[in-house]
Amino acid sequence: MEIASKSELNNWDEIDWVKVDSSVFKLQKRIYRASLAEDYKLVHKLQKLMVKSWYGKLLAVRKVTQENKGKKTAGIDGIKSVSPSKRLALVDELAIDGNANPTRRVWIPKPGKKEMRPLGIPTMLDRAKQSLLKMAIEPEWEAKFEGNSFGFRPGRSCHDAIKAIKDSIRTKSKYVLDADIASCFDKIKHDTLLNKINTLPEFRSQIKAWLKSGVVDFSKWSQRKGYNQTLAGTPQGGVISPLLANIALHGMENKLKEYVMGIPKRFPSGGMMSKDKRAKALSVICYADDFVIIHDEIDTVLKCKEIIEEWLKNLDLELKPSKTRIAHTLDVYNGEQLGFDFLGFHIQHHELGKHHSGKNSSSKKLGFKTIIEPQKEKIQLHYRKLDECINKMSSHKQSELIGKLIPIIRGWCNYQSPWNSSKAFKKLTNLMWNRLWRWGKRRHPNKGRKWISRKYWDLKNKGWRFTFKSEDFVYTLPKHSDFSCGKMWVKVQNTRSPFDGNETYWSKRMGDRYLTSDPQKSRLLKKQKGKCGYCGLNFHSEDLTEKHHIKEKSKGGNNSDKNLVLIHLHCHDQVHGKR
């Protein structure tokens, strides 16, 4: 890997990011292949090269100062916005030296609940260090992770986990253990985690320093204000924390498969089932600290629960009783409701007649169908968020309200669209019409219905569109029902990783539906052949993207595909910085 000379670089905007990104990615692929071959001497050699490389440091700083969504949240150093010249100074300062600053603890509400959960915000220097070390360690562990682990991993998403569940229960009703680990990030045992990572001494020393660095908390939610030691757990909010949590929980699926393969099982005809078929009969799907165990026998599920509880004790972890339940996909079990909730979806079998029943691989009617739809609580939470936004903007212009509502509606619908969401979309469309009508009526209590409808709605094009019109452009709020649903989601293959070097496979996933479920982004991605419209670099799985207007809206531009180009988030910042 070529290491650029520091003397060659005087300006952040002069950096050849195509060369930087491709060089780092090539080295990560080499680490992945060496780990896959269990050549750990070569793995450690390449990891040392990564953390010392000039390109790796440049990329680490770019990720935390330009791309990270928390780039404007300060740690105890108070730094939350880094200028281009200071980014170069931060690159010079980067080194895996075993030092770490305490994290700043902030408290954020849990979605839809009054409970608060803590986040640990590292300093900008520590964030850059964590990003650099993660680039070195992640490829090694991507070669080791189990195929049904989907949380916070490159090239994998929530929808891959849902598709894995659907494939597991598609042809047969089964029992499901829906479990959640209590305070997983806060209670992981440090010594067990460090021994499991089994990395270079300097890397171990650095990770230990982050784990033991302590927190500074002055919020009203704090029980002990000021500095507190951290004796367990990985602080949520750190760049490397999700990877450490995945490493800690690695091995759960293999542990349960070993147990199931040891149980002799006979076919109804009297023959013995092979170990491979016994292993396939059990499904363990994990997304970070949430997981489900699926099997057609209740005794096996109960025994798996006992094994997991015992296995978690080594990490000082336990299952959360309030979020752990056993249910059946088709029948009532132990008074529990049918089906289960996972990652914002409700998954259940519905008994149906012969015309609507699902079929197995032999086209035989099953008598039921697997339905995956938005969880009721998530629908209510989404509408409550829209309602609160409208209440706050009761005195704002219509264009400003539309601008605030569009990303909320689009983001939620894109997440829900691959599954059976049409009923929820129609319901929310009606609720939003009523809510926006009340917004317009409250603003003009002395006006009639015709006047309000003509002022705020476009009644000609597809009927009742909440639209703002001006001389320069037309701004329309999309309806929930505008978004298509039930699209076929293709799950990532087995243990595949973006670091495996299979460009054909990953380019196809990115071009079709991998990068985003936003249809317009997918169209732009195909049109641009997977390359950024500004720097010309190929998009990677974890890259953040933005739709850039060729002709600005203020100058008469619109949101059509012809006027948009898909570019990296950091490229988007660079373009607008020049403007």
Side-chain angles (χ1 to χ4, degrees), residues 130-170:
Q130 289 183 17
S131 181
L132 180 62
L133 189 56
K134 183 185 176 185
M135 287 192 291
I137 292 177
E138 189 171 47
E140 175 194 352
W141 279 92
E142 277 296 308
K144 300 178 182 179
F145 283 141
E146 295 149 332
N148 282 327
S149 169
F150 298 99
F152 307 112
R153 290 180 57 191
R156 290 165 181 258
S157 68
C158 298
H159 295 304
D160 290 314
I162 299 298
K163 186 63 166 66
I165 292 172
K166 185 176 182 179
D167 292 343
S168 174
I169 65 174
R170 186 176 62 84

Side-chain angles (χ1 to χ4, degrees), residues 201-429:
E202 54 264 42
F203 290 1
R204 179 190 171 97
S205 176
Q206 183 64 75
I207 294 171
K208 186 176 180 180
W210 285 324
L211 295 175
K212 302 287 187 183
S213 63
V215 297
V216 177
D217 191 347
F218 287 99
S219 67
K220 65 178 182 180
W221 304 98
S222 175
Q223 294 179 350
R224 293 180 58 190
K225 293 191 176 183
Y227 175 81
N228 292 299
Q229 289 183 324
T230 47
L231 303 176
T234 62
Q236 294 185 62
V239 177
I240 203 170
S241 295
L243 175 60
L244 297 180
N246 279 337
I247 293 172
L249 298 174
H250 171 65
M252 185 188 301
E253 182 179 354
N254 289 334
K255 181 73 175 177
L256 295 177
K257 295 277 186 183
E258 287 175 8
Y259 160 71
V260 173
M261 286 191 291
I263 305 173
K265 189 173 181 181
R266 295 183 179 275
F267 287 110
S269 59
M272 291 294 293
M273 183 181 286
S274 68
K275 286 188 176 182
D276 287 342
K277 288 187 177 180
R278 275 179 266 164
K280 288 180 181 178
L282 177 76
S283 297
V284 184
I285 292 99
C286 305
Y287 194 92
D289 57 345
D290 292 336
F291 64 92
V292 292
I293 298 172
I294 303 171
H295 198 270
D296 55 358
E297 294 181 357
I298 184 61
D299 292 339
T300 302
V301 173
L302 291 171
K303 183 62 179 176
C304 286
K305 182 184 177 185
E306 293 178 13
I307 293 171
I308 287 299
E309 287 175 333
E310 189 65 30
W311 185 81
L312 289 173
K313 286 181 182 178
N314 295 325
L315 293 162
D316 282 354
L317 298 175
E318 60 182 2
L319 298 180
K320 192 172 185 177
S322 61
K323 289 190 175 181
T324 301
R325 60 187 288 269
I326 297 176
H328 194 265
T329 57
L330 185 61
D331 303 316
V332 176
Y333 170 75
N334 203 21
E336 294 283 352
Q337 68 171 9
L338 300 180
F340 60 100
D341 298 327
F342 193 65
L343 300 178
F345 298 95
H346 180 72
I347 305 164
Q348 181 185 334
H349 283 152
H350 289 260
E351 291 184 356
L352 296 171
K354 62 180 182 179
H355 297 295
H356 299 283
S357 169
K359 299 177 183 178
N360 60 16
S361 56
S362 304
S363 298
K364 183 181 177 181
K365 304 277 180 149
L366 299 172
F368 62 81
K369 189 174 182 180
T370 306
I371 302 294
I372 301 172
E373 54 191 357
Q375 192 178 334
K376 289 182 179 178
E377 291 80 0
K378 299 300 180 182
I379 297 173
Q380 294 170 358
L381 181 63
H382 173 62
Y383 178 69
R384 200 179 306 139
K385 187 175 182 179
L386 293 169
D387 183 53
E388 289 173 359
C389 180
I390 294 170
N391 280 334
K392 288 178 181 177
M393 304 195 69
S394 58
S395 59
H396 288 66
K397 296 178 181 178
Q398 185 189 15
S399 58
E400 294 175 357
L401 175 62
I402 292 174
K404 287 286 185 181
L405 293 176
I406 283 178
I408 300 173
I409 294 173
R410 182 173 290 156
W412 192 83
C413 290
N414 284 339
Y415 180 73
Q416 300 288 348
S417 60
W419 312 106
N420 306 84
S421 308
S422 56
K423 288 184 180 179
F425 287 177
K426 288 177 182 177
K427 179 181 179 180
L428 286 164
T429 297

Side-chain angles (χ1 to χ4, degrees), residues 15-288:
I15 298 172
D16 184 356
W17 287 112
V18 175
K19 191 174 181 180
V20 171
D21 212 341
S22 60
S23 297
V24 170
F25 193 60
K26 283 179 183 177
L27 184 55
Q28 287 181 312
K29 287 191 288 186
R30 290 180 66 192
I31 296 171
Y32 175 88
R33 287 194 290 267
S35 178
L36 209 60
E38 298 185 358
D39 185 354
Y40 294 113
K41 185 176 181 180
L42 179 58
V43 168
H44 293 158
K45 181 181 177 181
L46 295 172
Q47 287 175 335
K48 284 183 179 179
L49 181 60
M50 174 66 82
V51 299
K52 292 178 180 179
S53 71
W54 181 242
Y55 287 166
K57 292 178 181 180
L58 285 172
L59 192 58
V61 170
R62 189 189 78 184
K63 284 179 180 292
V64 300
T65 60
Q66 289 186 275
E67 296 182 358
N68 195 293
K69 290 184 179 179
K71 63 186 177 183
K72 295 184 179 179
T73 305
I76 62 168
D77 56 353
I79 298 173
K80 60 181 179 180
S81 182
V82 184
S83 64
S85 60
K86 289 182 179 178
R87 289 174 202 152
L88 291 174
L90 185 58
V91 171
D92 292 335
E93 198 177 347
L94 270 190
I96 303 302
D97 53 10
N99 297 324
N101 294 302
T103 59
R104 171 176 165 248
R105 175 167 285 176
V106 297
W107 295 79
I108 61 171
K110 291 185 177 181
K113 298 180 180 178
K114 294 182 179 180
E115 296 178 54
M116 305 294 286
R117 65 184 180 94
L119 283 182
I121 311 299
T123 62
M124 195 63 73
L125 175 61
D126 279 323
R127 279 181 244 181
K129 280 186 185 180
Q130 289 183 17
S131 181
L132 180 62
L133 189 56
K134 183 185 176 185
M135 287 192 291
I137 292 177
E138 189 171 47
E140 175 194 352
W141 279 92
E142 277 296 308
K144 300 178 182 179
F145 283 141
E146 295 149 332
N148 282 327
S149 169
F150 298 99
F152 307 112
R153 290 180 57 191
R156 290 165 181 258
S157 68
C158 298
H159 295 304
D160 290 314
I162 299 298
K163 186 63 166 66
I165 292 172
K166 185 176 182 179
D167 292 343
S168 174
I169 65 174
R170 186 176 62 84
T171 59
K172 192 173 184 180
S173 59
K174 295 183 179 182
Y175 292 94
V176 179
L177 169 65
D178 178 16
D180 179 73
I181 300 171
S183 303
C184 176
F185 283 85
D186 300 329
K187 294 183 178 180
I188 293 175
K189 195 174 181 180
H190 288 169
D191 291 340
T192 306
L193 173 60
L194 291 169
N195 292 335
K196 199 168 185 178
I197 295 173
N198 191 27
T199 187
L200 290 163
E202 54 264 42
F203 290 1
R204 179 190 171 97
S205 176
Q206 183 64 75
I207 294 171
K208 186 176 180 180
W210 285 324
L211 295 175
K212 302 287 187 183
S213 63
V215 297
V216 177
D217 191 347
F218 287 99
S219 67
K220 65 178 182 180
W221 304 98
S222 175
Q223 294 179 350
R224 293 180 58 190
K225 293 191 176 183
Y227 175 81
N228 292 299
Q229 289 183 324
T230 47
L231 303 176
T234 62
Q236 294 185 62
V239 177
I240 203 170
S241 295
L243 175 60
L244 297 180
N246 279 337
I247 293 172
L249 298 174
H250 171 65
M252 185 188 301
E253 182 179 354
N254 289 334
K255 181 73 175 177
L256 295 177
K257 295 277 186 183
E258 287 175 8
Y259 160 71
V260 173
M261 286 191 291
I263 305 173
K265 189 173 181 181
R266 295 183 179 275
F267 287 110
S269 59
M272 291 294 293
M273 183 181 286
S274 68
K275 286 188 176 182
D276 287 342
K277 288 187 177 180
R278 275 179 266 164
K280 288 180 181 178
L282 177 76
S283 297
V284 184
I285 292 99
C286 305
Y287 194 92

Side-chain angles (χ1 to χ4, degrees), residues 510-514 516-527 566:
M510 289 175 64
D512 289 342
R513 56 185 68 82
Y514 170 66
T516 176
S517 55
D518 183 341
Q520 191 172 45
K521 279 191 175 182
S522 295
R523 292 195 301 271
L524 293 172
L525 189 65
K526 290 179 183 178
K527 180 182 175 182
L566 196 65

